[in-house]
Amino acid sequence: MTLDEMKAKREDLIKEREKELAKAEPKKFGEGSKKDKKRKKNKIKNSVTLSFAMDDEENEEAEEEEEKVEVKKKGVGKNPDVDTSFLPDREREEEENKMREELRQEWETKQEGIKQEEIEITYSYWDGSGHRRQTKMKKGDTMQRFLIKCLENLKKEFSELKACTVEALMYVKEDLILPHHATFYDFIVTKARGKSGPLFNFDVHDDIRLVSDSRVEKDESHAGKVVLRSWYERNKHIFPASRWEIYDPEKKWDKYTIK
């Protein structure tokens, strides 16, 4: 209630009280003395004023009680000397989720940068004998994209490839037939191993360490082979095709062999 509304209400109460007193007095006394009238009027005013003052005090007390209850609720159950970090905390959980999301985005950005890096690949078109070539690809490229590029370069020299499609080609690395959908990045980040060497090196080099240590990854890498599926089907019982098998990420090669 505003101050103006309180004043108006008080005036209404004063007038109403005067009317009631006027009706209650006997007619034989008439109007009464001015002094009595003034005393009664002051009495009514004081009574109304006291009533409003009591209302204000009650309102203030109620507000103070509400503030105490609110403060009590905020601090309920918390002891500054007790470690509560293990308890559920919505603000802390939101902050942790935000931090995890930032780290995830940072990691993904870094991986995308790695996928855009170029690598030099040494490969050999295999038709019973090797025809070595080199090309550059991005780490994020798939084996299918790599074979498309190889086909574009090789069909100029080899007539059997002129009418060939990429689905008719295979890429064999370290005696494993790699799936078309796999990327170079997949083998590099997982440090994948083949039957005869690592699948994460796509150049060609020998292991030139003077002392072999079985605890250290062998550093020898062989040229991958680009092969027609039709040639493989005709010769898979003959070395080296007899060693080839489809890549299985669940299968682990603890030792390299070349025979």
Side-chain angles (χ1 to χ4, degrees):
M1 183 181 291
T2 63
L3 183 60
D4 292 337
E5 290 175 344
M6 291 176 67
K7 288 180 179 179
K9 185 175 180 181
R10 191 169 80 174
E11 292 296 329
D12 291 340
L13 289 172
I14 291 171
K15 290 177 181 179
E16 192 68 31
R17 185 68 172 168
E18 288 177 347
K19 288 179 182 180
E20 290 176 359
L21 290 173
K23 289 178 181 180
E25 288 185 356
K27 291 184 179 180
K28 63 179 179 178
F29 293 105
E31 295 290 330
S33 66
K34 291 182 179 179
K35 189 174 181 180
D36 292 338
K37 283 180 71 178
K38 187 174 182 181
R39 190 184 298 115
K40 289 176 182 177
K41 192 171 184 179
N42 287 337
K43 186 177 179 181
I44 293 169
K45 285 184 179 179
N46 291 337
S47 176
V48 174
T49 302
L50 180 60
S51 175
F52 275 95
M54 291 176 67
D55 289 343
D56 290 341
E57 288 177 2
E58 289 177 358
N59 290 336
E60 289 177 0
E61 289 177 0
E63 289 177 359
E64 288 177 0
E65 287 297 325
E66 288 178 0
E67 289 177 359
K68 288 179 181 178
V69 170
E70 186 176 354
V71 170
K72 190 174 180 182
K73 283 181 179 179
K74 287 182 179 178
V76 67
K78 290 188 177 181
N79 186 337
D81 298 328
V82 177
D83 180 17
T84 59
S85 59
F86 63 92
L87 295 174
D89 188 310
R90 188 174 65 181
E91 291 184 1
R92 186 174 68 241
E93 287 177 359
E94 289 177 354
E95 187 66 27
E96 289 175 353
N97 289 336
K98 183 180 178 182
M99 187 180 296
R100 276 195 290 267
E101 179 62 21
E102 289 175 354
L103 290 172
R104 185 188 65 80
Q105 292 179 0
E106 182 181 339
W107 183 85
E108 286 185 353
T109 300
K110 184 178 180 180
Q111 300 312 303
E112 286 301 319
I114 293 174
K115 290 177 183 180
Q116 295 303 313
E117 294 175 359
E118 279 195 343
I119 53 172
E120 187 172 89
I121 301 169
T122 301
Y123 68 95
S124 178
Y125 172 58
W126 189 265
D127 58 359
S129 59
H131 309 276
R132 188 167 290 191
R133 301 287 187 276
Q134 286 184 331
T135 188
K136 288 185 178 181
M137 301 294 295
K138 291 181 178 179
K139 290 180 179 179
D141 288 336
T142 62
M143 299 302 127
Q144 185 178 51
R145 184 172 293 183
F146 163 66
L147 289 172
I148 289 172
K149 191 170 184 179
C150 293
L151 183 59
E152 290 174 353
N153 296 328
L154 293 171
K155 65 183 180 182
K156 300 172 185 176
E157 302 179 47
F158 302 93
S159 58
E160 67 271 22
L161 298 177
K162 288 183 179 179
C164 180
T165 63
V166 70
E167 287 76 16
L169 292 176
M170 302 189 317
Y171 180 49
V172 183
K173 174 68 173 163
E174 306 301 346
D175 294 322
L176 295 180
I177 303 168
L178 304 186
H180 281 203
H181 65 269
T183 67
F184 296 102
Y185 168 85
D186 295 334
F187 299 110
I188 292 169
V189 297
T190 59
K191 294 288 184 180
R193 296 161 59 96
K195 293 177 71 175
S196 54
L199 293 176
F200 50 86
N201 288 331
F202 294 91
D203 58 350
V204 174
H205 59 268
D206 295 325
D207 191 342
I208 58 173
R209 289 176 297 175
L210 297 177
V211 178
S212 179
D213 187 347
S214 60
R215 295 170 298 176
V216 181
E217 176 69 51
K218 191 176 181 181
D219 195 37
E220 191 173 69
S221 179
H222 309 96
K225 296 177 175 64
V226 175
V227 187
L228 277 168
R229 290 184 185 275
S230 56
W231 184 93
Y232 171 68
E233 291 298 330
R234 292 194 307 270
N235 297 278
K236 60 184 177 182
H237 60 289
I238 304 172
F239 184 87
S242 58
R243 278 181 50 84
W244 301 348
E245 59 182 272
I246 296 173
Y247 170 73
D248 181 0
E250 299 299 322
K251 194 169 184 178
K252 306 301 179 185
W253 302 97
D254 296 328
K255 293 181 178 180
Y256 295 140
T257 59
I258 58 173
K259 294 181 182 181

